[in-house]
Amino acid sequence: MEERPPGGALRPDPAAGRRPPSAQPPARAHSGSRGGDSQATSLTLDLAPDVFTMRVLLEETGEMFRVTNCRADTTVLELKKELDLIAGIPLNLQRLQYLDQGILMDDTTLKFHDVVPGGIISLCVWHYDGWMELVLAAVEGDPSKLFCLGVTEESFYRTANSQHLEEKQRKRWVSQRASVALYVTSHRGHAEAVQYLLENGANCLSRTPMGRTPLHVAAAMGRLDCINLLLRHGAAISAKDAMGMTPMAIARQLNRKHSERRLFLFYWILKSGRKGTMDLSMSKTSRMVKFGSGSKKTRT
């Protein structure tokens, strides 16, 4: 079971899907002819509302996300921090582009790049070291594909970088890949993949550069099955991200009422010391996931 996106909050576009055929933003003037067109763009930005919405297209999957509360002076880094939660892609794996421009630098602003309200910014995953393939498999949520991409120490997957790593370094590399896969699958609500990763060593306490755990994004997206699995495997309900937000606070901010209630119930059980009740609740959740309640059936 998952909740539908709330209105007005930072959230994925309700019409998320493939690139719309006629949703391209107005063409930007090229560097050689910034005369009248450039002045018109600047005038458009000057007349734009103080706060507006941007669309962000994850190029590798065709998913579209909306980022609200954007301003002309919003920096690329600030936008990436929001996408860490909204798109479920860790900040350090993101590269953003707009129209014919190259990679947008973190310290530049939307106004500097002539980004118009409602325009589409492209989000791409860095290709180095097999990260793009891993994110694609995590978005799809297929455990067998994840296994083939180095999320467990038993995997034979190697990259040009990893094949030169010593044993201790390789273990850290595998752990990092498992953590990213867990973050993305928790965001997308793939309970089967989440369970597979947790049972094969993925750390539910791992954090993105924004300090967010898989529980943060599961709560933000209303992924109740994933929330239950993460809690059962020791996820920290009180963990704060770089903005000082706990998973419950994020659920409340985004109006994810079912997520907030589930987290509050778990918090209450912990505080009351009723461990037996908690174990029973988590055991019931595990059976529900196993037999396909709110998720795909578990592999045999």
Side-chain angles (χ1 to χ4, degrees):
M1 176 182 180
E2 65 183 51
E3 302 170 57
R4 295 186 178 278
L10 298 180
R11 59 187 172 87
D13 193 327
R18 297 295 169 185
R19 184 201 305 266
S22 61
Q24 295 303 310
R28 179 181 184 274
H30 292 275
S31 56
S33 57
R34 293 188 59 89
D37 290 341
S38 179
Q39 292 176 5
T41 302
S42 298
L43 180 60
T44 299
L45 289 171
D46 290 338
L47 296 176
D50 292 337
V51 179
F52 53 88
T53 297
M54 290 298 309
R55 289 176 291 170
V56 177
L57 175 70
L58 182 53
E59 290 286 350
E60 286 81 5
T61 66
E63 296 168 292
M64 189 78 75
F65 302 92
R66 291 179 62 205
V67 185
T68 61
N69 297 322
C70 293
R71 309 178 72 93
D73 60 356
T74 295
T75 66
V76 172
L77 179 59
E78 289 170 337
L79 182 58
K80 285 183 176 181
K81 289 178 179 180
E82 298 293 349
L83 291 171
D84 184 284
L85 180 66
I86 299 168
I89 306 297
L91 183 151
N92 57 316
L93 297 182
Q94 301 176 26
R95 56 189 180 95
L96 301 183
Q97 296 176 278
Y98 184 65
L99 299 181
D100 59 347
Q101 302 179 52
I103 298 173
L104 308 185
M105 296 295 100
D106 286 352
D107 59 349
T108 57
T109 65
L110 297 183
K111 184 174 183 179
F112 176 83
H113 293 288
D114 295 339
V115 178
V116 298
I120 298 177
I121 288 181
S122 295
L123 167 60
C124 301
V125 178
W126 284 106
H127 290 196
Y128 73 90
D129 215 18
W131 287 113
M132 182 188 70
E133 292 81 3
L134 179 67
V135 169
L136 285 175
V139 168
E140 186 176 342
D142 186 338
S144 61
K145 290 184 179 180
L146 290 171
F147 171 78
C148 295
L149 290 169
V151 297
T152 69
E153 294 184 21
E154 292 75 25
S155 175
F156 293 105
Y157 179 76
R158 299 290 187 276
T159 65
N161 169 56
S162 68
Q163 63 184 343
H164 300 294
L165 298 177
E166 297 179 356
E167 182 179 357
K168 186 178 294 186
Q169 293 174 320
R170 175 171 166 73
K171 286 184 178 180
R172 285 199 298 267
W173 182 79
V174 169
S175 177
Q176 185 181 14
R177 294 180 71 80
S179 296
V180 169
L182 183 60
Y183 193 78
V184 178
T185 53
S186 296
H187 181 277
R188 298 308 195 276
H190 297 308
E192 179 187 2
V194 168
Q195 181 167 310
Y196 166 79
L197 290 164
L198 290 170
E199 291 178 349
N200 285 274
N203 184 2
C204 63
L205 300 176
S206 60
R207 295 171 179 262
T208 69
M210 279 302 296
R212 293 177 180 130
T213 67
L215 188 58
H216 279 95
V217 284
M221 301 303 296
R223 311 300 192 185
L224 298 183
D225 287 344
C226 295
I227 289 173
N228 290 330
L229 287 168
L230 292 164
L231 291 174
R232 182 168 181 263
H233 282 80
I237 195 171
S238 60
K240 294 183 179 180
D241 64 13
M243 310 299 291
M245 301 287 283
T246 64
M248 193 185 303
I250 285 179
R252 183 181 302 113
Q253 183 186 57
L254 299 182
N255 198 31
R256 300 291 191 181
K257 294 182 180 179
H258 293 300
S259 295
E260 184 182 359
R261 289 170 185 164
R262 186 65 51 86
L263 291 168
F264 179 78
L265 174 62
F266 187 80
Y267 174 79
W268 178 82
I269 291 173
L270 284 178
K271 293 292 286 185
S272 66
R274 300 186 181 184
K275 191 176 185 302
T277 304
M278 180 174 67
D279 291 343
L280 180 62
S281 176
M282 293 300 101
S283 176
K284 181 179 179 181
T285 297
S286 179
R287 291 197 300 272
M288 289 173 62
V289 172
K290 182 176 182 180
F291 292 108
S293 176
S295 65
K296 298 178 183 178
K297 293 183 178 180
T298 303
R299 292 187 309 149
T300 56

